[in-house]
Amino acid sequence: MPSASLIKEFEQLVGKENVFSSEADRQSYAYDAAVLKPMIPSLVVRPTEVEQLGQVVKRCYEEGIPMTVRGSGTNLTGGTIPDCSDTIVILTTGLNKILEINTEDLYATVQPGVITAKFAAAVAAKGLFYPPDPGSMSVSTIGGNVAESSGGLRGLKYGTTKDYVMGMEVFANTGDLVKTGSRTVKCATGYNIAPLLVGSEGTLAVTSKVTLKLIPPPKASKAMMALFKDMDGASQAVAGIIAAHVVPCTLEFLDHASINYIEDYVKIGLPRDAGAMLLIEVDGHPAQVEDEAVIVEKVLRDNSATEIVVARDAAEKSRIWEARRVAIPALARCRPTLMLEDATVPRSKIPAMLEALDKIAARHHVTIGTFGHAGDGNLHPSILCATRKSSRAWNGLWTTSSTPRWSLAARCPASTASAPPKSNGWSRKPPTGRSCSRGACARRLTRRGCSTRARSWDSGTSCRKGTGGGLWKAGF
């Protein structure tokens, strides 16, 4: 626990109502959306002004106190779980202003605590478009999106968060303000460190301001749903659509298990005998949309789609996409624990990945429902099991996906249970010779950080105080 004098100093700086020291308050920030061991921080501080944020960072550095930066805590990497009980959690949710939406030069400047969906809506009200749409956008923050380099359903055509960051203002571990990038389209002055900061999970600096690129919205769109008897046909259809030089704004898929769990949940009339489902949307100029929709329908039929449903209006479009929107809650309600993975494979290897998942499920007696972004091969195998400790399927999935054909990020969100996770349930050990400096409070900004994988292997590693600033961690 920080000294009483430091707590009082923080209360005077940000207001007593923005300093949380009780155990009940601190427990709320001991975990996030990852199935990892929680860690109660020593203190939680919520700055509401940029200057306050810089001062909090500086004081943590001077006192040698580890810090974890956090927004909504929806990340799947465990990045907002404190490393040790000495950690101070710095909340950025109080920095929630949209500072500027420039309709002439097509950019916006926002603080890190702005909710993604609210920002997208504010941009749309100005007649512009901010495409990144992570699944948690209704609660996630822009700062967190930047820290995690968040993607979304529209990533295939429009790219992800990293493609829209034009500039940033961040606080280094010393509390010094660093500016990078620009509001101009071309910026070749100085070191371009913004791409390094995006996706760094807060390990390099604390974001105080982000400048984001905006684009004109598409004038028209058309959504459709296609059913297949197996994943082979759906996979061939995905490849055929891309080969036909059509890049949909969204191209999602659901496997047989996911379809049935979703139908159990929302009862929208999904066929339970379907082996796979593709959800597709094309957008752009009205004439282009009509032409591309015709091409997509032909490709679907050529690849043995058993049924194609094209939305005739906005209401039908919403119904088509409801199946994808409710995938996670539909799966989460079926078992006490949902372990959602994030695996990327070549599009041609999606059937092989699903076959491997079926074998893992049978071998470990668990259910795995898989959905994801078929257009870029990003899958979300969702392991359903009774308890975290009883399932070894994660290790099987790790082993399968460690082959050169695909990679797997160590990401697991928690179930919908209200209680925080009690155990990470993972028994995998780190490779021989791999070391981790997690918890070392080094002064140097270039200090080597600890990767998410090493973190998940070693969730019990102790954290020691050092002479310098805190550990820079993911989050928001």
Side-chain angles (χ1 to χ4, degrees):
M1 176 71 69
S3 65
S5 62
L6 183 60
I7 294 176
K8 186 175 181 179
E9 182 179 341
F10 283 145
E11 289 176 345
Q12 292 174 343
L13 177 64
V14 304
K16 191 172 183 179
E17 69 280 7
N18 291 312
V19 177
F20 309 103
S21 57
S22 72
E23 184 174 356
D25 284 335
R26 290 184 289 118
Q27 281 183 343
S28 300
Y29 303 97
Y31 60 96
D32 56 23
V35 184
L36 293 171
K37 184 178 180 179
M39 177 64 68
I40 300 175
S42 63
L43 191 68
V44 180
V45 182
R46 181 175 60 194
T48 56
E49 300 293 338
V50 171
E51 294 76 13
Q52 296 174 357
L53 176 62
Q55 285 299 309
V56 171
V57 172
K58 181 180 180 180
R59 291 297 291 125
C60 288
Y61 171 79
E62 292 172 344
E63 295 293 327
I65 299 175
M67 65 190 82
T68 294
V69 187
R70 180 186 178 112
S72 299
T74 60
N75 71 91
L76 307 182
T77 64
T80 51
I81 299 176
D83 283 276
C84 62
S85 59
D86 292 331
T87 299
I88 288 180
V89 168
I90 301 175
L91 292 177
T92 60
T93 52
L95 299 166
N96 53 16
K97 297 183 181 68
I98 298 175
L99 302 175
E100 180 183 11
I101 297 178
N102 190 306
T103 58
E104 293 182 342
D105 295 322
L106 302 185
Y107 71 82
T109 302
V110 302
Q111 292 182 330
V114 172
I115 300 299
T116 311
K118 291 183 179 179
F119 171 63
V123 169
K126 296 285 188 178
L128 295 173
F129 185 36
Y130 179 69
D133 58 339
S136 59
M137 67 183 297
S138 62
V139 289
S140 68
T141 63
I142 292 295
N145 296 168
V146 171
E148 299 285 331
S149 191
S150 300
L153 274 64
R154 291 192 283 253
L156 174 63
K157 179 175 182 177
Y158 290 105
T160 60
T161 302
K162 65 180 175 60
D163 300 302
Y164 292 85
V165 175
M166 298 174 66
M168 298 175 65
E169 291 187 11
V170 301
F171 287 105
N173 63 332
T174 57
D176 296 320
L177 185 64
V178 178
K179 299 181 181 181
T180 178
S182 172
R183 294 173 296 178
T184 59
V185 175
K186 180 181 178 180
C187 178
T189 304
Y191 293 113
N192 184 17
I193 64 172
L196 182 65
L197 296 172
V198 177
S200 65
E201 300 187 1
T203 58
L204 301 179
V206 179
T207 303
S208 63
K209 187 187 296 185
V210 186
T211 298
L212 299 165
K213 178 178 70 175
L214 307 176
I215 63 174
K219 296 184 180 299
S221 66
K222 180 169 286 190
M224 63 188 74
M225 175 180 69
L227 304 175
F228 298 83
K229 65 178 182 179
D230 54 43
M231 194 57 221
D232 286 326
S235 180
Q236 292 299 320
V238 170
I241 291 170
I242 303 301
H245 298 170
V246 174
V247 181
C249 67
T250 49
L251 180 48
E252 300 290 298
F253 96 98
L254 303 166
D255 72 353
H256 175 77
S258 298
I259 292 170
N260 279 272
Y261 282 123
I262 291 169
E263 179 60 20
D264 289 339
Y265 183 43
V266 293
K267 296 178 174 58
I268 55 177
L270 300 180
R272 294 184 176 274
D273 58 345
M277 175 190 296
L278 292 182
L279 303 172
I280 308 156
E281 184 172 341
V282 293
D283 67 358
H285 188 277
Q288 175 191 3
V289 168
E290 290 301 321
D291 291 344
E292 291 187 345
V294 171
I295 294 172
V296 169
E297 287 188 58
K298 182 180 185 303
V299 171
L300 295 173
R301 292 193 185 93
D302 291 345
N303 287 278
S304 304
T306 58
E307 185 178 354
I308 301 173
V309 178
V310 180
R312 293 171 295 183
D313 52 37
E316 289 190 3
K317 175 182 174 180
S318 179
R319 287 173 55 192
I320 285 177
W321 283 109
E322 184 177 7
R324 177 61 178 84
R325 286 195 299 267
V326 303
I328 293 178
L331 290 162
R333 66 191 286 271
C334 301
R335 297 288 190 280
T337 295
L338 168 67
M339 300 176 69
L340 175 64
E341 295 298 336
D342 197 345
T344 300
V345 305
R347 287 188 290 261
S348 62
K349 298 299 182 182
I350 290 177
M353 182 68 173
L354 293 179
E355 182 180 353
L357 290 170
D358 288 341
K359 292 179 180 178
I360 292 170
R363 184 162 63 248
H364 297 287
H365 308 290
V366 296
T367 300
I368 301 179
T370 304
F371 61 94
H373 316 305
D376 55 16
N378 183 205
L379 311 181
H380 297 299
S382 304
I383 303 171
L384 309 177
C385 52
T387 64
R388 293 177 178 87
K389 288 184 177 180
S390 66
S391 176
R392 297 180 180 177
W394 189 89
N395 283 329
L397 182 57
W398 180 286
T399 302
T400 301
S401 60
S402 294
T403 65
R405 291 182 299 171
W406 51 64
S407 62
L408 174 67
R411 300 178 178 178
C412 291
S415 73
T416 54
S418 58
K422 296 181 179 179
S423 170
N424 61 30
W426 297 351
S427 59
R428 186 169 180 82
K429 302 298 183 182
T432 302
R434 181 164 185 167
S435 63
C436 176
S437 60
R438 183 165 68 87
C441 306
R443 283 188 180 273
R444 290 179 60 84
L445 181 61
T446 56
R447 170 190 68 74
R448 181 179 178 183
C450 176
S451 69
T452 301
R453 252 178 217 180
R455 173 182 172 77
S456 63
W457 286 327
D458 191 19
S459 60
T461 299
S462 63
C463 181
R464 62 177 176 83
K465 274 191 177 182
T467 57
L471 175 69
W472 297 91
K473 287 183 49 13
F476 300 99

